[in-house]
Each structure stands twice: as structure tokens, then as C-alpha cells.
Amino acid sequence: MSSPSSSNLPLKAIPGDYGLPFFGAIKDRLDYFYNEGTDEFFRTRMQKYQSTIFRCNMVPGPFMAQNPKVVVLLDAVSFPVLFDTSKVEKKDVVATYMPSTNFTGGYRVCAHLDPSEPKHAIFKGLFLSTLATRHDKFIPLYRSSLSQLFIDLEDEFSSKGKAYFNDYCNKMSFNFSANLFCDRNPSSTILTSDKATKFFDLWLFFQLAPLMTLGLPKILNFLEDIVLHTFPLPSLLLKCDYNKFYKVFNEYAKSILDEAESLGIKRDEACHNLVFFVCFNSYGGMKTALPALIKWVGLAGEELHRRLAEEIRTVVRSEGGVTFAALEKMSLTKSVAWEALRIEPPVAFQYAHAKEDLVIHNHDASFEIKKGEMIFGYQPFATKDPRVFERPEEFVGDRFVGEEGEKLLKYVYWSNGREIDDPTVGNKQCPAKNLVVLLSRVMLVEFFLRYDTFTVEAGTLPLGTTATFTSMSKVTSS
Ligand code: HEM
């Protein structure tokens, strides 16, 4: 890849415009959801302006967002400005709108705080240390959650001849997340009932609906646009059930809440943060990331499966089990996990406000952004930048193997930071960055210890992907 020095690049005005007030934003919203679709929306504008940086309105627009105007970034070079908290502010930037704090007990939770706000460091530090102290639980707890997942999948597969992965994956992900952070097993509570995933799917939907379309028949587009994208869905409808789950966390996750109190945080604020941490960050992340992994590995075909099975079984045999050390030795498995996160980043949208007047650049030019402007990155384009990645649209399982391959990791951004960086209290990178990569690898390990190969049917969800197993061949040789 040619790495341009920004000083040699011409300074250009950012192309694109916002159209008429109100109507421009509505037009962009209709194009985004109904006339073009997400990828096409960005692709047509990138081609029209011959630039990976341009201006447009971002959904949802009126009346959800006060200001829908953004500067869009679509390449690997400009994208990381969104991670530089010395240059951008990440306060309340879920999107151009913010879900009501009534979904989280009236509090702004860690994920919505900017590192300049003192509470961000307290909560992020708490979450980082909570994860560190549970390090030894990761592999055994996840492996036992996966055992149940595979039993359920096989049952469904043998009775129906195919098995829809997402539902079982959701159940597994929720149980894993809840168990990881509770002091004792919440299995006798509402937290591990089927109601939990149904409720939290709805709770996530209510907060993220302005970014979604349900793919309904065209005739219903207008109605959908009003209901999902124009006014917020009422949090009051969920309050009663939310409180039931909150109570269980309050009772079962005492040690984290005690620690939060010792850091000067009110117990109820800590507990609402914990609910968000477990049910939005962790469950929401896993339910998006893992089906995408299975989909891409499934579609990659038998040859990749053969190589993965061989690597996994050889290393597990020589290391005497599935350990951190064993996982480190599986270079292809590691690479496949990263490749899935590259080709389909689970959180596709990143937003931030410029803290000051900035000059950013892409491969070809520099551009000025004014203080206060909203910067928006659509990550799937940045991590498929053809000037960084060869065959960017292709799932290349061994892309990150070896010294040369690993050099590309600095362009993998799924965690809201570069894969070669680490989450800290001063940045907004996912504190579970290493855990998520571990979970992806162990998913592959457990799969290929049981099966030789498989096929999947892929589908889409309003935010994410579906994978349905259409064949699963059990291990024939070890
Ligand atoms: C499994 C897939 C996961 C994905 C794809 C994911 C992705 C992300 C991303 C993209 C962000 C940054 C959001 C933004 O500011 O734009 C983030 C933040 C965060 N994630 Fe994750 N995450 C995952 C799992 C987890 C898990 C398992 C946990 C906790 C156990 C977690 C806890 C958090 C927290 C607390 C933040 C806020 C960080 C901050 O405010 O500095 N995530 N995650």
C-alpha cells in the first residue's frame, strides 16, 4: 500500500452537500433505507464525488436528530481520526440521535461518555479490571456454554434437516455474558430464561430502531419510516420488565457493585451501567459478531475447513487441551477470526464531533473539518479499502498469517480502535477487545473439534447477519 504523507497532498474542499433544510435530510433518509440501501448509498456518493470523504445527511434525520449533517469517511487512512480522542469528542454519539436515558435508569452509561468526563475513566477502569479478574473463567465458561449450543443445534438439525444458528447463539451469548459477571449462577432466575433474550432483543431494538429497516413490502415503507425513524419508541413500555432484570443483577453481581461503590459511584448508577455492559455491549456485540463468523467460514468452503480442523486438532493434541497457549499457536484460526471482523465489522457505524478545526486526509487529498462538525465513518468500506487490502471483498482466511499478514492488523478497526492498540481509560476502544477475538477463536476450535465441514445459508437482519446450517459433517477422523 502507498502510504501518503499528508503534507504532500493537495488541500481540497470536502465535496457533497446537505440539500435543502429538512427536505435534504428526508431525501437522504429515503435513499439510505428504501431507494438505494446502505452500501449503495455510500457507493453512489463516493463515485459521484470521486472521493472517500464527502458530506451528506445521515439517518435518521427529522425529527429524531437535531442535526443530521455529517462528513463521511470511507477509507482506511482517514477513518482512525475517529479513535483519536485528542481530536474528536465521543460524547453521546451513538449516532446523530441519542436513545433516551430512560432505557438505562436515567443515567448516561459508560459507552456514551467521552473520556474527558471523569466518570468515563472510573467505569472503563472498573470494566477493564472486572474483565481481568474473570480472565480464568473465560475459556471454561465459554466452552461449557458452547457444548450446550452444539447439543441444541444438533437436535434441531436432526429433526428439521437444518438449524438456524442465531437463536441458539443468542441464548448462548446471553447466558455466557450473564454468568461471567454474576457472582453465582443465576440459573434459577429470569436472567437465564427464554424471556431474557426476547426482552433484551426488544430493548436493543427500541434504542437502535432509527438506524434500521425491517425490509417490509414497499407499500409499508412510509408507515415504517414514521414509526421507526421519525419519533423515538417509548421506553415506558419496557420499564416494568427492565426493572425485573435489573433486580437480578443487583442481587447476583454484588462484587462488581461493591467495587463501584468503593470508587464513589452510586450503587444504582453502577447497576444500570452493568445491565448495559452485559446486555448491550456484551450480548449485543456477541449476537452480531458470532453469526457473521459462522456465515463467512461456512461460505469459505471445505478447503478452509480442512485446514482449520487440521491446525486445531494438531495443536489441541500437542498442548493437551484448549488453553490460552494453545490458541496462541493457531495462526490460521487467529487469522480467520480477524478476517471475519474485518470483512463484516459487527458495529458498522462510528461517530464523533471535531474538538477543533482539523485537517484530515485520505489516500489522495487533505480536507478541512471545522470544530463541532460531526464526523461519521462507515466501517465496512474502511476495512475493505482496496488500496490497503488485496481482494478486499473476498474472505481470505489466511490474510493475517505471518509477519506480512500481521502488518495489516493496524487496518482492522472493529473494536473502535486499531487491532494493534489496546483499550485504555483514555480511549473509546472496546474493553473486551481481546475477549471478543478469543471468543471467535474458541468458537472455531470447538466447532472443528466436533465437525469436519459444514454448509450454511446466509441471510440478513436489520442490523446483522443470519446463518442457517444446511449440513454438518461430524468428525470422521481425529
Ligand atoms: C462481541 C462483540 C463485541 C463487539 C463487536 C464490540 C464492539 C464495541 C465497539 C465498536 C465499541 C465502541 C463503541 C463506540 O464508542 O463507537 C465498544 C465499546 C464498548 N464495549 Fe464492546 N464489543 C463487543 C463485546 C463486548 C463485550 C463482551 C463487552 C464486555 C464484556 C464489551 C464492553 C464494551 C464497553 C463497556 C464499551 C464502551 C467503551 C468506552 O466507553 O470506552 N464489549 N464495543
Side-chain angles (χ1 to χ4, degrees), residues 90 110-113 120 124 127 131 180-181 277 281-282 285-286 289 341 346-347 349-351 414-416 424 427-432 435-436 439:
K90 297 274 297 176
C110 178
H112 302 161
L113 303 175
H120 177 267
K124 183 97 177 252
F127 293 148
L131 285 166
L180 187 60
F181 299 105
F277 182 60
N281 294 132
S282 184
M286 287 174 75
L341 292 162
V347 180
F349 315 110
Q350 266 79 38
Y351 293 84
W414 72 269
S415 64
N416 196 37
T424 67
N427 66 26
K428 289 291 287 177
Q429 191 164 17
C430 177
L435 169 61
V436 172
L439 298 179

mmCIF file of all heavy atoms in Angstrom, residues 90 110-113 120 124 127 131 180-181 277 281-282 285-286 289 341 346-347 349-351 414-416 424 427-432 435-436 439, ligand 1:
data_model
loop_
_atom_site.group_PDB
_atom_site.id
_atom_site.type_symbol
_atom_site.label_atom_id
_atom_site.label_comp_id
_atom_site.label_asym_id
_atom_site.label_seq_id
_atom_site.Cartn_x
_atom_site.Cartn_y
_atom_site.Cartn_z
ATOM 1 N N LYS A 90 -16.379 12.095 21.847
ATOM 2 C CA LYS A 90 -17.276 10.947 21.655
ATOM 3 C C LYS A 90 -18.399 10.966 22.691
ATOM 4 O O LYS A 90 -18.773 9.920 23.229
ATOM 5 C CB LYS A 90 -16.475 9.647 21.787
ATOM 6 C CG LYS A 90 -15.397 9.446 20.744
ATOM 7 C CD LYS A 90 -15.885 8.810 19.472
ATOM 8 C CE LYS A 90 -16.406 7.419 19.681
ATOM 9 N NZ LYS A 90 -16.972 6.836 18.451
ATOM 10 N N CYS A 110 -21.458 4.307 30.453
ATOM 11 C CA CYS A 110 -20.053 4.462 30.030
ATOM 12 C C CYS A 110 -19.887 4.642 28.519
ATOM 13 O O CYS A 110 -19.170 5.528 28.066
ATOM 14 C CB CYS A 110 -19.266 3.243 30.504
ATOM 15 S SG CYS A 110 -17.540 3.286 30.009
ATOM 16 N N ALA A 111 -20.571 3.802 27.743
ATOM 17 C CA ALA A 111 -20.368 3.835 26.292
ATOM 18 C C ALA A 111 -20.738 5.188 25.696
ATOM 19 O O ALA A 111 -20.296 5.517 24.594
ATOM 20 C CB ALA A 111 -21.185 2.727 25.634
ATOM 21 N N HIS A 112 -21.553 5.986 26.412
ATOM 22 C CA HIS A 112 -21.989 7.277 25.878
ATOM 23 C C HIS A 112 -21.162 8.441 26.420
ATOM 24 O O HIS A 112 -21.419 9.595 26.082
ATOM 25 C CB HIS A 112 -23.470 7.512 26.190
ATOM 26 C CG HIS A 112 -24.362 6.435 25.641
ATOM 27 N ND1 HIS A 112 -25.629 6.205 26.091
ATOM 28 C CD2 HIS A 112 -24.134 5.505 24.666
ATOM 29 C CE1 HIS A 112 -26.167 5.193 25.430
ATOM 30 N NE2 HIS A 112 -25.271 4.744 24.566
ATOM 31 N N LEU A 113 -20.191 8.132 27.287
ATOM 32 C CA LEU A 113 -19.375 9.199 27.893
ATOM 33 C C LEU A 113 -18.113 9.421 27.076
ATOM 34 O O LEU A 113 -17.541 8.491 26.507
ATOM 35 C CB LEU A 113 -18.980 8.810 29.324
ATOM 36 C CG LEU A 113 -20.121 8.487 30.307
ATOM 37 C CD1 LEU A 113 -19.541 8.011 31.639
ATOM 38 C CD2 LEU A 113 -21.014 9.701 30.538
ATOM 39 N N HIS A 120 -16.100 8.473 32.878
ATOM 40 C CA HIS A 120 -15.700 7.503 31.862
ATOM 41 C C HIS A 120 -14.534 6.663 32.369
ATOM 42 O O HIS A 120 -14.550 5.428 32.292
ATOM 43 C CB HIS A 120 -15.341 8.183 30.539
ATOM 44 C CG HIS A 120 -14.854 7.203 29.506
ATOM 45 N ND1 HIS A 120 -13.523 6.909 29.313
ATOM 46 C CD2 HIS A 120 -15.535 6.399 28.652
ATOM 47 C CE1 HIS A 120 -13.416 5.983 28.370
ATOM 48 N NE2 HIS A 120 -14.613 5.659 27.949
ATOM 49 N N LYS A 124 -14.790 2.746 32.888
ATOM 50 C CA LYS A 124 -13.968 1.938 31.974
ATOM 51 C C LYS A 124 -12.933 1.164 32.781
ATOM 52 O O LYS A 124 -12.668 -0.015 32.523
ATOM 53 C CB LYS A 124 -13.304 2.854 30.935
ATOM 54 C CG LYS A 124 -12.473 2.145 29.874
ATOM 55 C CD LYS A 124 -13.241 1.926 28.604
ATOM 56 C CE LYS A 124 -12.448 1.288 27.494
ATOM 57 N NZ LYS A 124 -12.106 2.169 26.404
ATOM 58 N N PHE A 127 -14.615 -1.736 34.367
ATOM 59 C CA PHE A 127 -14.896 -2.821 33.419
ATOM 60 C C PHE A 127 -13.607 -3.546 33.018
ATOM 61 O O PHE A 127 -13.597 -4.771 32.899
ATOM 62 C CB PHE A 127 -15.606 -2.280 32.172
ATOM 63 C CG PHE A 127 -16.992 -1.767 32.450
ATOM 64 C CD1 PHE A 127 -17.527 -0.710 31.736
ATOM 65 C CD2 PHE A 127 -17.768 -2.341 33.445
ATOM 66 C CE1 PHE A 127 -18.806 -0.238 31.995
ATOM 67 C CE2 PHE A 127 -19.049 -1.878 33.717
ATOM 68 C CZ PHE A 127 -19.572 -0.811 32.993
ATOM 69 N N LEU A 131 -13.019 -7.481 33.879
ATOM 70 C CA LEU A 131 -12.659 -8.489 32.867
ATOM 71 C C LEU A 131 -11.363 -9.188 33.261
ATOM 72 O O LEU A 131 -11.250 -10.413 33.165
ATOM 73 C CB LEU A 131 -12.523 -7.839 31.486
ATOM 74 C CG LEU A 131 -13.843 -7.463 30.803
ATOM 75 C CD1 LEU A 131 -13.605 -6.532 29.622
ATOM 76 C CD2 LEU A 131 -14.581 -8.717 30.346
ATOM 77 N N LEU A 180 -20.801 -14.659 33.356
ATOM 78 C CA LEU A 180 -19.443 -14.137 33.537
ATOM 79 C C LEU A 180 -19.414 -13.050 34.614
ATOM 80 O O LEU A 180 -18.454 -12.935 35.368
ATOM 81 C CB LEU A 180 -18.936 -13.579 32.195
ATOM 82 C CG LEU A 180 -17.475 -13.128 32.137
ATOM 83 C CD1 LEU A 180 -16.525 -14.281 32.465
ATOM 84 C CD2 LEU A 180 -17.144 -12.570 30.753
ATOM 85 N N PHE A 181 -20.475 -12.255 34.680
ATOM 86 C CA PHE A 181 -20.420 -11.109 35.586
ATOM 87 C C PHE A 181 -21.197 -11.299 36.883
ATOM 88 O O PHE A 181 -21.115 -10.471 37.776
ATOM 89 C CB PHE A 181 -20.895 -9.850 34.844
ATOM 90 C CG PHE A 181 -20.005 -9.543 33.672
ATOM 91 C CD1 PHE A 181 -20.410 -9.794 32.377
ATOM 92 C CD2 PHE A 181 -18.719 -9.077 33.883
ATOM 93 C CE1 PHE A 181 -19.566 -9.565 31.301
ATOM 94 C CE2 PHE A 181 -17.865 -8.850 32.819
ATOM 95 C CZ PHE A 181 -18.287 -9.083 31.524
ATOM 96 N N PHE A 277 -23.751 -2.881 30.111
ATOM 97 C CA PHE A 277 -22.491 -3.549 29.799
ATOM 98 C C PHE A 277 -22.750 -5.001 29.360
ATOM 99 O O PHE A 277 -22.270 -5.457 28.317
ATOM 100 C CB PHE A 277 -21.646 -3.500 31.080
ATOM 101 C CG PHE A 277 -20.282 -4.090 31.009
ATOM 102 C CD1 PHE A 277 -19.330 -3.620 30.128
ATOM 103 C CD2 PHE A 277 -19.902 -5.103 31.891
ATOM 104 C CE1 PHE A 277 -18.052 -4.146 30.101
ATOM 105 C CE2 PHE A 277 -18.631 -5.632 31.874
ATOM 106 C CZ PHE A 277 -17.707 -5.160 30.977
ATOM 107 N N ASN A 281 -23.559 -3.999 25.387
ATOM 108 C CA ASN A 281 -22.189 -4.162 24.865
ATOM 109 C C ASN A 281 -21.871 -5.631 24.605
ATOM 110 O O ASN A 281 -21.474 -6.005 23.499
ATOM 111 C CB ASN A 281 -21.164 -3.607 25.860
ATOM 112 C CG ASN A 281 -21.249 -2.101 26.055
ATOM 113 O OD1 ASN A 281 -21.263 -1.618 27.182
ATOM 114 N ND2 ASN A 281 -21.317 -1.354 24.989
ATOM 115 N N SER A 282 -22.047 -6.467 25.639
ATOM 116 C CA SER A 282 -21.579 -7.840 25.524
ATOM 117 C C SER A 282 -22.551 -8.706 24.701
ATOM 118 O O SER A 282 -22.179 -9.257 23.663
ATOM 119 C CB SER A 282 -21.370 -8.418 26.925
ATOM 120 O OG SER A 282 -20.828 -9.697 26.834
ATOM 121 N N GLY A 285 -23.034 -7.278 21.178
ATOM 122 C CA GLY A 285 -21.839 -7.497 20.357
ATOM 123 C C GLY A 285 -21.732 -8.941 19.907
ATOM 124 O O GLY A 285 -21.535 -9.231 18.714
ATOM 125 N N MET A 286 -21.889 -9.862 20.863
ATOM 126 C CA MET A 286 -21.730 -11.286 20.517
ATOM 127 C C MET A 286 -22.797 -11.750 19.534
ATOM 128 O O MET A 286 -22.524 -12.525 18.619
ATOM 129 C CB MET A 286 -21.789 -12.149 21.784
ATOM 130 C CG MET A 286 -20.545 -12.048 22.650
ATOM 131 S SD MET A 286 -20.715 -12.949 24.211
ATOM 132 C CE MET A 286 -20.556 -14.640 23.695
ATOM 133 N N ALA A 289 -21.558 -10.526 16.165
ATOM 134 C CA ALA A 289 -20.252 -10.976 15.671
ATOM 135 C C ALA A 289 -20.226 -12.481 15.344
ATOM 136 O O ALA A 289 -19.670 -12.888 14.321
ATOM 137 C CB ALA A 289 -19.170 -10.657 16.705
ATOM 138 N N LEU A 341 -13.931 -10.308 11.360
ATOM 139 C CA LEU A 341 -14.171 -8.985 11.947
ATOM 140 C C LEU A 341 -13.819 -7.860 10.965
ATOM 141 O O LEU A 341 -14.344 -6.763 11.046
ATOM 142 C CB LEU A 341 -13.361 -8.829 13.248
ATOM 143 C CG LEU A 341 -13.837 -9.724 14.399
ATOM 144 C CD1 LEU A 341 -12.760 -9.865 15.477
ATOM 145 C CD2 LEU A 341 -15.125 -9.184 15.015
ATOM 146 N N PRO A 346 -18.820 -5.891 13.242
ATOM 147 C CA PRO A 346 -20.146 -6.014 13.872
ATOM 148 C C PRO A 346 -20.802 -4.672 14.191
ATOM 149 O O PRO A 346 -22.015 -4.564 14.167
ATOM 150 C CB PRO A 346 -19.858 -6.779 15.172
ATOM 151 C CG PRO A 346 -18.533 -7.426 14.969
ATOM 152 C CD PRO A 346 -17.769 -6.587 14.013
ATOM 153 N N VAL A 347 -19.997 -3.661 14.513
ATOM 154 C CA VAL A 347 -20.566 -2.322 14.727
ATOM 155 C C VAL A 347 -20.083 -1.474 13.540
ATOM 156 O O VAL A 347 -18.923 -1.084 13.480
ATOM 157 C CB VAL A 347 -20.110 -1.724 16.068
ATOM 158 C CG1 VAL A 347 -20.701 -0.336 16.278
ATOM 159 C CG2 VAL A 347 -20.512 -2.652 17.226
ATOM 160 N N PHE A 349 -21.028 1.496 12.314
ATOM 161 C CA PHE A 349 -21.064 2.967 12.275
ATOM 162 C C PHE A 349 -20.284 3.573 13.435
ATOM 163 O O PHE A 349 -20.459 3.143 14.574
ATOM 164 C CB PHE A 349 -22.512 3.466 12.388
ATOM 165 C CG PHE A 349 -23.474 2.708 11.528
ATOM 166 C CD1 PHE A 349 -24.413 1.858 12.090
ATOM 167 C CD2 PHE A 349 -23.438 2.833 10.149
ATOM 168 C CE1 PHE A 349 -25.307 1.155 11.300
ATOM 169 C CE2 PHE A 349 -24.330 2.137 9.349
ATOM 170 C CZ PHE A 349 -25.258 1.295 9.922
ATOM 171 N N GLN A 350 -19.471 4.567 13.148
ATOM 172 C CA GLN A 350 -18.775 5.295 14.216
ATOM 173 C C GLN A 350 -18.968 6.794 14.015
ATOM 174 O O GLN A 350 -18.864 7.290 12.877
ATOM 175 C CB GLN A 350 -17.272 4.987 14.197
ATOM 176 C CG GLN A 350 -16.863 3.844 15.133
ATOM 177 C CD GLN A 350 -17.150 2.481 14.557
ATOM 178 O OE1 GLN A 350 -16.980 2.264 13.364
ATOM 179 N NE2 GLN A 350 -17.600 1.554 15.384
ATOM 180 N N TYR A 351 -19.222 7.475 15.102
ATOM 181 C CA TYR A 351 -19.467 8.921 15.045
ATOM 182 C C TYR A 351 -18.579 9.657 16.039
ATOM 183 O O TYR A 351 -18.242 9.109 17.095
ATOM 184 C CB TYR A 351 -20.908 9.236 15.453
ATOM 185 C CG TYR A 351 -21.956 8.743 14.508
ATOM 186 C CD1 TYR A 351 -22.424 7.428 14.589
ATOM 187 C CD2 TYR A 351 -22.508 9.581 13.554
ATOM 188 C CE1 TYR A 351 -23.409 6.962 13.732
ATOM 189 C CE2 TYR A 351 -23.497 9.130 12.695
ATOM 190 C CZ TYR A 351 -23.942 7.823 12.791
ATOM 191 O OH TYR A 351 -24.917 7.374 11.939
ATOM 192 N N TRP A 414 -12.598 -3.103 14.064
ATOM 193 C CA TRP A 414 -13.901 -3.475 14.608
ATOM 194 C C TRP A 414 -14.126 -3.006 16.047
ATOM 195 O O TRP A 414 -15.253 -2.750 16.465
ATOM 196 C CB TRP A 414 -14.097 -5.001 14.540
ATOM 197 C CG TRP A 414 -13.229 -5.712 15.539
ATOM 198 C CD1 TRP A 414 -11.973 -6.177 15.332
ATOM 199 C CD2 TRP A 414 -13.531 -5.964 16.902
ATOM 200 N NE1 TRP A 414 -11.471 -6.698 16.493
ATOM 201 C CE2 TRP A 414 -12.415 -6.579 17.469
ATOM 202 C CE3 TRP A 414 -14.649 -5.728 17.717
ATOM 203 C CZ2 TRP A 414 -12.356 -6.965 18.810
ATOM 204 C CZ3 TRP A 414 -14.600 -6.102 19.043
ATOM 205 C CH2 TRP A 414 -13.471 -6.711 19.583
ATOM 206 N N SER A 415 -13.027 -2.924 16.849
ATOM 207 C CA SER A 415 -13.170 -2.632 18.290
ATOM 208 C C SER A 415 -13.241 -1.147 18.574
ATOM 209 O O SER A 415 -13.129 -0.734 19.718
ATOM 210 C CB SER A 415 -11.987 -3.235 19.042
ATOM 211 O OG SER A 415 -10.777 -2.587 18.613
ATOM 212 N N ASN A 416 -13.428 -0.335 17.532
ATOM 213 C CA ASN A 416 -13.381 1.114 17.678
ATOM 214 C C ASN A 416 -11.965 1.549 18.039
ATOM 215 O O ASN A 416 -11.746 2.426 18.876
ATOM 216 C CB ASN A 416 -14.386 1.591 18.736
ATOM 217 C CG ASN A 416 -14.653 3.077 18.646
ATOM 218 O OD1 ASN A 416 -14.698 3.636 17.559
ATOM 219 N ND2 ASN A 416 -14.805 3.728 19.778
ATOM 220 N N THR A 424 -7.948 1.598 26.751
ATOM 221 C CA THR A 424 -7.490 2.241 27.997
ATOM 222 C C THR A 424 -8.621 3.111 28.523
ATOM 223 O O THR A 424 -9.613 3.334 27.819
ATOM 224 C CB THR A 424 -6.283 3.170 27.744
ATOM 225 O OG1 THR A 424 -6.739 4.278 26.938
ATOM 226 C CG2 THR A 424 -5.138 2.471 27.032
ATOM 227 N N ASN A 427 -9.227 6.082 26.081
ATOM 228 C CA ASN A 427 -9.780 5.981 24.716
ATOM 229 C C ASN A 427 -11.158 5.326 24.750
ATOM 230 O O ASN A 427 -11.684 5.014 25.822
ATOM 231 C CB ASN A 427 -8.809 5.247 23.782
ATOM 232 C CG ASN A 427 -8.612 3.776 24.159
ATOM 233 O OD1 ASN A 427 -9.477 3.147 24.774
ATOM 234 N ND2 ASN A 427 -7.484 3.208 23.786
ATOM 235 N N LYS A 428 -11.746 5.146 23.575
ATOM 236 C CA LYS A 428 -13.099 4.579 23.494
ATOM 237 C C LYS A 428 -13.082 3.185 22.876
ATOM 238 O O LYS A 428 -14.100 2.694 22.388
ATOM 239 C CB LYS A 428 -13.996 5.504 22.658
ATOM 240 C CG LYS A 428 -14.352 6.806 23.356
ATOM 241 C CD LYS A 428 -15.280 6.633 24.554
ATOM 242 C CE LYS A 428 -16.680 6.304 24.139
ATOM 243 N NZ LYS A 428 -17.546 6.058 25.338
ATOM 244 N N GLN A 429 -11.921 2.549 22.913
ATOM 245 C CA GLN A 429 -11.830 1.206 22.324
ATOM 246 C C GLN A 429 -12.543 0.196 23.228
ATOM 247 O O GLN A 429 -12.516 0.330 24.465
ATOM 248 C CB GLN A 429 -10.358 0.824 22.167
ATOM 249 C CG GLN A 429 -10.127 -0.412 21.334
ATOM 250 C CD GLN A 429 -8.677 -0.536 20.875
ATOM 251 O OE1 GLN A 429 -7.794 0.123 21.418
ATOM 252 N NE2 GLN A 429 -8.436 -1.376 19.890
ATOM 253 N N CYS A 430 -13.139 -0.808 22.614
ATOM 254 C CA CYS A 430 -13.898 -1.816 23.362
ATOM 255 C C CYS A 430 -12.998 -2.482 24.410
ATOM 256 O O CYS A 430 -11.966 -3.062 24.061
ATOM 257 C CB CYS A 430 -14.434 -2.881 22.406
ATOM 258 S SG CYS A 430 -15.300 -4.210 23.266
ATOM 259 N N PRO A 431 -13.409 -2.445 25.687
ATOM 260 C CA PRO A 431 -12.557 -3.054 26.722
ATOM 261 C C PRO A 431 -12.459 -4.568 26.579
ATOM 262 O O PRO A 431 -11.562 -5.189 27.133
ATOM 263 C CB PRO A 431 -13.246 -2.662 28.037
ATOM 264 C CG PRO A 431 -14.651 -2.338 27.664
ATOM 265 C CD PRO A 431 -14.616 -1.828 26.261
ATOM 266 N N ALA A 432 -13.416 -5.147 25.830
ATOM 267 C CA ALA A 432 -13.401 -6.602 25.662
ATOM 268 C C ALA A 432 -12.738 -7.002 24.344
ATOM 269 O O ALA A 432 -12.954 -8.096 23.841
ATOM 270 C CB ALA A 432 -14.825 -7.136 25.701
ATOM 271 N N LEU A 435 -11.038 -10.276 24.525
ATOM 272 C CA LEU A 435 -12.011 -11.326 24.835
ATOM 273 C C LEU A 435 -12.805 -11.707 23.577
ATOM 274 O O LEU A 435 -13.034 -12.888 23.297
ATOM 275 C CB LEU A 435 -12.964 -10.845 25.944
ATOM 276 C CG LEU A 435 -14.190 -11.721 26.202
ATOM 277 C CD1 LEU A 435 -13.778 -13.132 26.651
ATOM 278 C CD2 LEU A 435 -15.109 -11.092 27.260
ATOM 279 N N VAL A 436 -13.186 -10.701 22.807
ATOM 280 C CA VAL A 436 -14.010 -10.978 21.618
ATOM 281 C C VAL A 436 -13.233 -11.824 20.601
ATOM 282 O O VAL A 436 -13.768 -12.776 20.023
ATOM 283 C CB VAL A 436 -14.489 -9.651 20.983
ATOM 284 C CG1 VAL A 436 -15.175 -9.903 19.657
ATOM 285 C CG2 VAL A 436 -15.422 -8.926 21.952
ATOM 286 N N LEU A 439 -13.182 -15.280 21.951
ATOM 287 C CA LEU A 439 -14.460 -15.987 21.794
ATOM 288 C C LEU A 439 -14.633 -16.478 20.346
ATOM 289 O O LEU A 439 -15.148 -17.575 20.115
ATOM 290 C CB LEU A 439 -15.636 -15.073 22.169
ATOM 291 C CG LEU A 439 -15.686 -14.567 23.625
ATOM 292 C CD1 LEU A 439 -16.889 -13.651 23.837
ATOM 293 C CD2 LEU A 439 -15.726 -15.711 24.620
HETATM 294 C C1 HEM B 1 -18.654 -9.483 20.852
HETATM 295 C C2 HEM B 1 -18.579 -8.470 20.160
HETATM 296 C C3 HEM B 1 -18.309 -7.051 20.584
HETATM 297 C C4 HEM B 1 -18.164 -6.072 19.705
HETATM 298 C C5 HEM B 1 -18.260 -6.194 18.212
HETATM 299 C C6 HEM B 1 -17.916 -4.849 20.425
HETATM 300 C C7 HEM B 1 -17.690 -3.632 19.824
HETATM 301 C C8 HEM B 1 -17.522 -2.446 20.503
HETATM 302 C C9 HEM B 1 -17.362 -1.167 19.869
HETATM 303 C C10 HEM B 1 -17.329 -0.928 18.380
HETATM 304 C C11 HEM B 1 -17.294 -0.237 20.839
HETATM 305 C C12 HEM B 1 -17.151 1.262 20.651
HETATM 306 C C13 HEM B 1 -18.481 1.908 20.516
HETATM 307 C C14 HEM B 1 -18.303 3.367 20.133
HETATM 308 O O1 HEM B 1 -17.932 4.167 21.006
HETATM 309 O O2 HEM B 1 -18.486 3.665 18.956
HETATM 310 C C15 HEM B 1 -17.396 -0.924 22.083
HETATM 311 C C16 HEM B 1 -17.375 -0.299 23.277
HETATM 312 C C17 HEM B 1 -17.556 -0.966 24.442
HETATM 313 N N1 HEM B 1 -17.650 -2.340 24.604
HETATM 314 FE FE1 HEM B 1 -17.566 -3.742 23.195
HETATM 315 N N2 HEM B 1 -17.905 -5.115 21.744
HETATM 316 C C18 HEM B 1 -18.147 -6.452 21.901
HETATM 317 C C19 HEM B 1 -18.200 -7.130 23.069
HETATM 318 C C20 HEM B 1 -18.086 -6.538 24.272
HETATM 319 C C21 HEM B 1 -18.103 -7.265 25.492
HETATM 320 C C22 HEM B 1 -18.124 -8.800 25.603
HETATM 321 C C23 HEM B 1 -18.039 -6.325 26.469
HETATM 322 C C24 HEM B 1 -17.993 -6.534 27.919
HETATM 323 C C25 HEM B 1 -17.774 -7.656 28.476
HETATM 324 C C26 HEM B 1 -17.973 -5.017 25.854
HETATM 325 C C27 HEM B 1 -17.931 -3.812 26.523
HETATM 326 C C28 HEM B 1 -17.824 -2.571 25.932
HETATM 327 C C29 HEM B 1 -17.854 -1.290 26.645
HETATM 328 C C30 HEM B 1 -18.027 -1.073 28.143
HETATM 329 C C31 HEM B 1 -17.664 -0.286 25.714
HETATM 330 C C32 HEM B 1 -17.574 1.230 25.948
HETATM 331 C C33 HEM B 1 -16.091 1.623 25.973
HETATM 332 C C34 HEM B 1 -15.845 3.065 26.324
HETATM 333 O O3 HEM B 1 -16.800 3.783 26.578
HETATM 334 O O4 HEM B 1 -14.674 3.470 26.349
HETATM 335 N N3 HEM B 1 -17.976 -5.192 24.520
HETATM 336 N N4 HEM B 1 -17.524 -2.278 21.852
#
